[in-house]
Amino acid sequence: MITLSKLAKTFQTKDGSVTAVDHIDLSIDQGEIFGVIGYSGAGKSTLIRMLNMLEAPSSGEVEVAGRSMNTLGKRALREARQEIGMIFQHFNLLWSRTVADNIAFPLEIKGVPKAEQKQRVNELIELVGLEGRGGSYPAQLSGGQKQRVGIARALANNPKVLLCDEATSALDPKTTDSILDLLVDINKKLGLTIVLITHEMHVIRKICHRVAVMENGSVVEQGDVLEVFRRPQQDMTKEFVRQVTEPEETEEALRHLFEDDSIGHVLQLTFVGSEAQRPLINDVVRAYDVEVSILQGKISQTQHGSYGSLFISITGAQAEDAIAFIKEQQVEVEVIRHA
Ligand SMILES: Nc1ncnc2c1ncn2[C@@H]1O[C@H](COP(=O)(O)OP(=O)(O)O)[C@@H](O)[C@H]1O
Ligand SMILES: [Mg+2]
């Protein structure tokens, strides 16, 4: 659906040139939710803005839905853009227009007849869950509702692709989740391809199928979300993964426990996919003469199954055997303290 080839963007500034995007090759499939994560300044916004030519590439190619975007003339580009919706961190709504008129805006520009506009707006209002708010002004809405207007407006022309630039970064965690749920819903219902950029691993974890990690204008790592969570390669990716898998206090809490000699062996178990649901601990306690305590843990859901870490301690006569058994199971085991 989207293919980027050696895509690059260099800005000339008074202090010299800045390479925001440095020869990126990337391919995004139809119907997938593809995430790009990176810290501020990594080049994410520049990258996503080149997908619809809001930013002209310095070199390289962008193909979206079979169209080579960077060779299009003005008129063809306008048409191509109707197939690419976009939402933003600060919503970019028209403040003097009602919700319904904001959503109708792209239809007006396209010259859709009034009656048809009205019907489409009603459908969209229902799709994003804003029933009854059509006559409100943006200033009367919560952040989450404003983003729902942004989403409805972006979908007005039935695009094939939705670009999301930090679309939940201005929202609180609960509202973020409700907007992410809406994006998943739209992805499934409409088969829409979604490209989103974010600096929050939680967003990637919750809704993306695949992820690319960006640093200094380059993609340093990419893959299926579950796979990247399971085996992050780059240090920066590991940092992002830790954002969602380890409670912040883990290290401190465990260090404290390590000073207690009665604690026995301490293991970190990493569950990926369906194994996360398996009653492994139960099996161990039944089969071996050991005591197991759960010290810390966090299991999270991704679009392709659950992922998480569990820290346990094992004491008892058969502790070594129990550990050997656990290592044979479909979990990754690291003994982080020997008794
Ligand atoms: N219009 C611009 N002019 C000059 N430099 C820019 C411009 N836009 C972005 N940059 C620079 O490009 C780099 C990447 O920026 P950006 O794409 O906004 O990153 P991100 O979205 O990951 O925070 C930064 O160093 C930024 O200062
Ligand atoms: Mg940005």
Side-chain angles (χ1 to χ4, degrees), residues 11-13 18 20 38-47 55 165 197:
F11 292 105
Q12 306 301 336
T13 70
V18 179
Y39 291 119
S40 175
K44 307 179 298 294
S45 291
T46 306
L47 178 74
E55 203 75 73
D165 186 347
I197 64 175

Side-chain angles (χ1 to χ4, degrees), residues 221 227-234 237-238 241 307:
E221 185 163 356
E227 198 49 38
V228 168
F229 268 67
R230 175 199 214 124
R231 289 195 198 90
Q233 305 293 318
Q234 305 292 325
T237 314
K238 289 177 187 165
V241 169
Y307 172 93

Side-chain angles (χ1 to χ4, degrees), residues 119 137 150 277 334:
Q119 192 194 335
Y137 286 88
Q277 267 86 29
E334 194 181 345

Side-chain angles (χ1 to χ4, degrees), residues 75 141 149 225 235 278:
R75 188 200 177 97
L141 304 177
V149 179
V225 168
D235 286 344
R278 282 200 53 206

Side-chain angles (χ1 to χ4, degrees), residues 251-269:
E251 232 186 274
E252 207 176 323
L254 292 176
R255 205 180 316 122
H256 179 70
L257 281 168
F258 283 3
E259 286 155 19
D260 176 356
D261 276 336
S262 67
I263 192 94
H265 301 272
V266 176
L267 274 56
Q268 177 175 10
L269 310 181

Side-chain angles (χ1 to χ4, degrees), residues 258 264-269 312 314 320 323-324 327 332-339:
F258 283 3
H265 301 272
V266 176
L267 274 56
Q268 177 175 10
L269 310 181
I312 60 171
I314 300 191
E320 299 283 356
I323 292 170
K327 284 183 171 168
E332 299 194 8
V333 185
E334 194 181 345
V335 179
I336 55 178
R337 177 189 194 267
H338 283 283

